[in-house]
Amino acid sequence: MANEIIVERIEQIGIARLNRPEKLNALNIETMTQLIAALERFDADAGIRCMLVAGDERAFAAGADITEMADASLTDMYYRNQFARWERIRRIQKPIVAAVSGYALGGGCELMMHCDIIVASETARFGQPEINIGIMPGAGGTQRLTRALGKARAMDLVLTGRMISAQEAFDAGLVSRIVPREHFFEEALRVCHELCTRAPLALRLAKEAVLKAHEVSLSEGLEYERKLFYMLFATDDQREGMRAFLEKRPPVFRGR
Ligand code: CO8
């Protein structure tokens, strides 16, 4: 079986790099199968604290693989149930950082929006061009893009299929940081190293609480946040973090 992704590990960081450069990392079924398996393995591995998903310099991913969908009927697509795989990314508890350069289009933009912190190269370009090939976003684009950019800009991207620059994406709140092209991977890795020094349980619960903001009303979200906040006072890492601060030393978090 081809290695549609390259999986590696640097200290406590699990890295999955999309590996179809000649197809601009178009996301075929095998790529998504391998990617999700890798992310789930990292999530279950006590030695991993955060994950990095990356493409290459030319493309993060230029969308779902059109060759696999060109002749598909409604029933083919329905029975393939590809979105079940995508749903599993939502259940990953550890933080996922995306390193994005070049094209992040269609399913590629949607995959990126499944990640928690998005580091983009200043040459990155984003869009939901499905409208140009007679379809519409299907892996969350209409929902996550609208939540990230607001209705007016999301409609513009989804209905015209136009791409936006990294600067526009950053100004609109779609990506977390932009950096020079030659540093996009290194900066994403640096963010991962930083996350590895944080308390692992606090990271997971904080991620869960932020994602909840997309799902519930403000008052429900605030109650949810408060419960998770209280929970962290049952952890050794809370004691360690606060003691370390008072003792003017760096904390050593154990995820307990
Ligand atoms: N699928 C399959 N192959 C692709 C894709 C893709 N999405 N994107 C690029 N490729 C291939 C090209 O066919 C080409 O292959 P080959 O060399 O064998 O002809 C190679 O990658 C290089 O691409 P180009 O020659 O086109 O490169 P350019 O620099 O000229 O253009 C673009 C770059 C503008 C990014 C152009 O490739 C393009 O428009 N790509 C398609 C973008 C697109 O429409 N994406 C949306 C796809 S649909 C989708 O994502 C729906 C998601 C729904 C959820 C998924 C679950 C089913």
Side-chain angles (χ1 to χ4, degrees):
M1 191 139 299
N3 283 336
E4 308 289 24
I5 65 164
I6 297 170
V7 177
E8 44 184 326
R9 183 184 172 135
I10 297 180
E11 296 169 21
Q12 294 168 309
I13 306 163
I15 304 173
R17 286 177 189 251
L18 303 169
N19 184 36
R20 301 184 74 212
E22 71 295 347
K23 296 292 175 192
L24 302 183
N25 293 323
L27 302 166
N28 61 8
I29 294 174
E30 187 53 35
T31 303
M32 289 308 293
T33 304
Q34 292 183 16
L35 176 65
I36 282 145
L39 296 180
E40 286 180 339
R41 272 198 309 276
F42 289 147
D43 213 30
D45 182 336
I48 295 287
R49 290 197 176 187
C50 84
M51 303 170 207
L52 176 54
V53 175
D56 52 50
E57 216 169 274
R58 193 167 165 221
F60 177 68
D65 193 320
I66 298 168
T67 57
E68 284 185 342
M69 298 183 288
D71 296 321
S73 67
L74 185 159
T75 39
D76 293 334
M77 291 301 284
Y78 188 79
Y79 284 126
R80 276 184 204 170
N81 191 19
Q82 283 166 256
F83 300 117
R85 231 174 260 116
W86 289 75
E87 278 295 308
R88 282 159 55 194
I89 309 181
R90 285 180 65 192
R91 292 198 283 274
I92 299 288
Q93 292 183 310
K94 294 174 188 170
I96 310 176
V97 176
V100 181
S101 176
Y103 297 111
L105 302 176
C109 189
E110 290 168 316
L111 173 63
M112 178 195 90
M113 288 190 284
H114 278 73
C115 299
D116 304 310
I117 297 181
I118 299 163
V119 177
S121 123
E122 59 196 2
T123 58
R125 302 189 73 195
F126 307 87
Q128 297 287 160
E130 290 90 340
I131 202 79
N132 298 329
I133 54 168
I135 57 166
M136 60 175 278
T142 61
Q143 304 305 300
R144 291 198 177 89
L145 203 66
T146 306
R147 283 168 168 81
L149 307 182
K151 178 199 154 194
R153 288 197 229 205
M155 280 290 191
D156 183 4
L157 295 201
V158 170
L159 301 190
T160 70
R162 85 175 173 93
M163 293 185 217
I164 57 171
S165 66
Q167 189 61 53
E168 201 176 342
F170 178 73
D171 293 343
L174 182 62
V175 303
S176 317
R177 306 178 185 196
I178 31 180
V179 293
R181 180 180 45 80
E182 58 275 24
H183 299 312
F184 83 96
F185 186 80
E186 175 194 318
E187 173 67 7
L189 199 56
R190 204 187 58 70
V191 172
C192 289
H193 279 297
E194 205 179 319
L195 296 184
C196 289
T197 67
R198 305 292 191 259
L201 285 165
L203 278 181
R204 290 187 201 199
L205 297 192
K207 165 174 171 161
E208 192 179 323
V210 173
L211 290 176
K212 207 62 167 179
H214 280 172
E215 313 272 348
V216 298
S217 71
L218 178 61
S219 52
E220 284 171 298
L222 292 172
E223 271 174 43
Y224 196 80
E225 178 193 80
R226 206 157 301 154
K227 286 189 179 120
L228 298 185
F229 175 81
Y230 286 141
M231 271 174 67
L232 289 172
F233 283 78
T235 65
D236 295 342
D237 284 349
Q238 172 268 329
R239 303 232 182 306
E240 167 61 10
M242 294 190 180
R243 270 192 207 126
F245 174 80
L246 295 174
E247 291 164 11
K248 301 189 189 307
R249 61 172 174 83
V252 180
F253 293 122
R254 300 208 154 77
R256 297 271 152 208

